[in-house]
Amino acid sequence: MPYLLTGAPPGELFLVRNVGAFVPPYDGSHGHHGTAAAIEFAVLNLQVSRIVVCGHSHCGAIKALYGEVSPEARNLQRWLDLGREAVLPVQGGPEALRRTEQRAVVLQLERLMDYPMVRSRVEAGQLSLHGWHYVIEDGEVHVFDVQTGRFVAASQAPHSGTGPYPPYVEHDGQVLVD
């Protein structure tokens, strides 16, 4: 699916897929090594320039945050803890689930910034973080707009797409170029 959304040829994307698209904390915790190792590998070895956290509608992990999880699924219960901050204090109806899916994406972006190698590269302008929410039934990606704090349909977001991008203009009129 990511290749269809981006139009990238096979081999161009380094994909990490997991339950809920969750990012474990950068704290050396045990049990979350696969995703944390993939983040470190992508940033340090592959020197990726963009990280996209992509959630989607009807996400089973988000639904599980509002429901019961089998007591036998101890690893799943612990993993779902990574999304609990996104849960709304309401019943898990369609609107609450959609909002929680989007809140979970933003939570993972925030958590990525706790990785020292991510933060240093973002602050140096070498890496950018992007939050997407794919609405399956509409076939549309909504992107997180940091300036407004909302998800906007990519087709209507002024900063989505592949460019060329207009130069960034500071509030004092200074034009920043690469």
Side-chain angles (χ1 to χ4, degrees):
M1 183 60 74
Y3 292 107
L4 294 175
L5 294 176
T6 63
E12 280 298 306
L13 302 176
F14 180 74
L15 303 175
V16 178
R17 300 180 88 171
N18 64 39
V19 175
F22 293 156
V23 173
Y26 186 81
D27 64 0
S29 63
H30 300 288
H32 301 302
H33 296 299
T35 301
I39 292 165
E40 292 174 351
F41 181 74
V43 173
L44 299 173
N45 292 65
L46 299 178
Q47 299 177 359
V48 297
S49 59
R50 291 178 194 86
I51 295 177
V52 176
V53 175
C54 184
H56 61 86
S57 59
H58 312 290
C59 177
I62 299 302
K63 286 180 188 174
L65 290 171
Y66 285 94
E68 294 292 320
V69 176
S70 170
E72 294 177 274
R74 291 187 311 215
N75 290 309
L76 176 60
Q77 288 176 1
R78 185 165 180 227
W79 186 258
L80 289 175
D81 287 343
L82 298 172
R84 297 226 187 268
E85 287 180 59
V87 172
L88 297 166
V90 297
Q91 292 282 51
E95 179 64 16
L97 291 171
R98 183 192 61 78
R99 288 180 53 207
T100 304
E101 290 160 357
Q102 292 178 344
R103 288 166 54 98
V105 168
V106 175
L107 177 62
Q108 308 322 306
L109 294 172
E110 292 171 353
R111 202 170 283 139
L112 277 168
M113 286 297 287
D114 290 338
Y115 284 70
M117 73 288 307
V118 171
R119 176 173 290 282
S120 65
R121 283 160 180 78
V122 167
E123 290 174 350
Q126 299 168 338
L127 176 65
S128 59
L129 304 181
H130 305 272
W132 292 4
H133 181 250
Y134 179 54
V135 183
I136 295 169
E137 57 274 24
D138 296 337
E140 186 167 40
V141 174
H142 291 213
V143 297
F144 182 66
D145 185 328
V146 177
Q147 292 180 350
T148 65
R150 293 202 231 170
F151 280 83
V152 180
S155 60
Q156 298 174 1
H159 59 278
S160 68
T162 58
Y165 299 105
Y168 178 76
V169 179
E170 287 282 349
H171 64 278
D172 64 359
Q174 178 184 3
V175 177
L176 301 179
V177 291
D178 291 327

